Amino acid sequence: MPHNQLKKYPELLEILHLSEHSRNTSLRRIFDRDITFNENFKFLKKQIRPVKKDGEANLATVFNHLTKKEIIEVDDEGNKIRRRVFESYRAHRLHWVKPHIAEEINDDIVVFSAEERDQRKRKNVYRTYIHNRTEKYVIILEPQNSGMDYYLLTAYHLNEKKGREQIRKKWKKRLNDIL
């Protein structure tokens, strides 16, 4: 497990051989080092904060979004049930978040903001994307209402065609300014 803390971008974390508990412990150590206890976790000079749930910072939600993907299942009565399941593509790249946020990557990276519909909030929201075209990787931030800080929503590898298409569409509808 400790060897994962030595991994640097663009190396991938070695986690698949670990038990679920050991894997989560290893990933959580990287998350805590790079995000939880990183007082200088800023992008474009704006502090990045965890999403709030019921008025409280919710680091568990951020951790889950960085290591798990959402799936939607339908129960016997036709109700949609959302849940998150471990996704190796995300988890292997957890340590990529920090160098992208710190703007230390020299790959083909584009940063843009776009307005989009948030189905859960039932309103339009603004999101800022850090898209690494070289590695097909994206980090999604949401500007806080004050415009002073960001919320870190998620980051993932664009390993599915659907995800690449969504980013391409957002790029085409990008705003003139980065929020």
Side-chain angles (χ1 to χ4, degrees):
M1 281 191 307
H3 68 281
N4 276 331
Q5 291 200 4
L6 301 175
K7 296 281 186 179
K8 301 286 184 204
Y9 173 86
E11 297 174 298
L12 299 177
L13 299 176
E14 296 176 24
I15 52 175
L16 294 182
H17 69 285
L18 301 173
S19 69
E20 183 177 355
H21 174 74
S22 295
R23 180 185 71 216
N24 286 336
T25 299
S26 180
L27 291 169
R28 190 60 197 221
R29 285 181 181 157
I30 291 165
F31 178 82
D32 287 344
R33 177 197 69 197
D34 292 353
I35 298 171
T36 305
F37 303 120
N38 182 355
E39 293 179 12
N40 196 31
F41 195 50
K42 296 179 181 181
F43 182 67
L44 300 177
K45 299 180 182 175
K46 295 180 182 180
Q47 187 70 37
I48 298 178
R49 305 196 184 280
V51 175
K52 290 185 177 180
K53 187 174 183 179
D54 300 325
E56 297 288 322
N58 193 338
L59 289 166
T61 297
V62 177
F63 179 74
N64 281 334
H65 280 256
L66 295 173
T67 58
K68 298 177 180 181
K69 72 175 182 176
E70 182 178 78
I71 61 168
I72 300 171
E73 298 174 326
V74 179
D75 66 13
D76 295 339
E77 292 145 18
N79 300 314
K80 290 183 181 179
I81 301 168
R82 298 175 183 267
R83 65 184 183 100
R84 297 195 78 83
V85 296
F86 174 77
E87 182 186 37
S88 63
Y89 289 103
R90 289 174 189 238
H92 280 302
R93 293 162 176 82
L94 177 62
H95 64 301
W96 287 16
V97 174
K98 181 182 174 192
H100 280 85
I101 294 295
E103 301 177 79
E104 299 170 346
I105 307 297
N106 293 321
D107 293 343
D108 179 12
I109 295 176
V110 294
V111 177
F112 64 96
S113 295
E115 183 178 13
E116 61 190 68
R117 185 76 178 163
D118 186 316
Q119 298 300 329
R120 290 186 188 180
K121 293 180 181 179
R122 297 187 184 143
K123 66 178 187 175
N124 285 1
V125 296
Y126 294 101
R127 303 260 164 84
T128 298
Y129 296 84
I130 304 167
H131 179 200
N132 182 327
R133 293 179 180 181
T134 305
E135 292 290 339
K136 297 177 181 73
Y137 184 71
V138 67
I139 297 172
I140 304 174
L141 305 171
E142 185 172 303
Q144 290 185 351
N145 291 336
S146 67
M148 304 291 287
D149 297 328
Y150 285 114
Y151 291 118
L152 172 60
L153 299 182
T154 193
Y156 55 90
H157 185 251
L158 295 166
N159 59 311
E160 296 177 11
K161 186 176 181 179
K162 177 182 169 186
R164 291 189 299 272
E165 289 296 322
Q166 287 176 341
I167 293 298
R168 211 172 290 128
K169 287 178 183 176
K170 291 175 193 317
W171 170 255
K172 286 180 182 178
K173 294 181 181 180
R174 71 189 178 277
L175 303 173
N176 291 329
D177 296 321
I178 298 170
L179 303 180

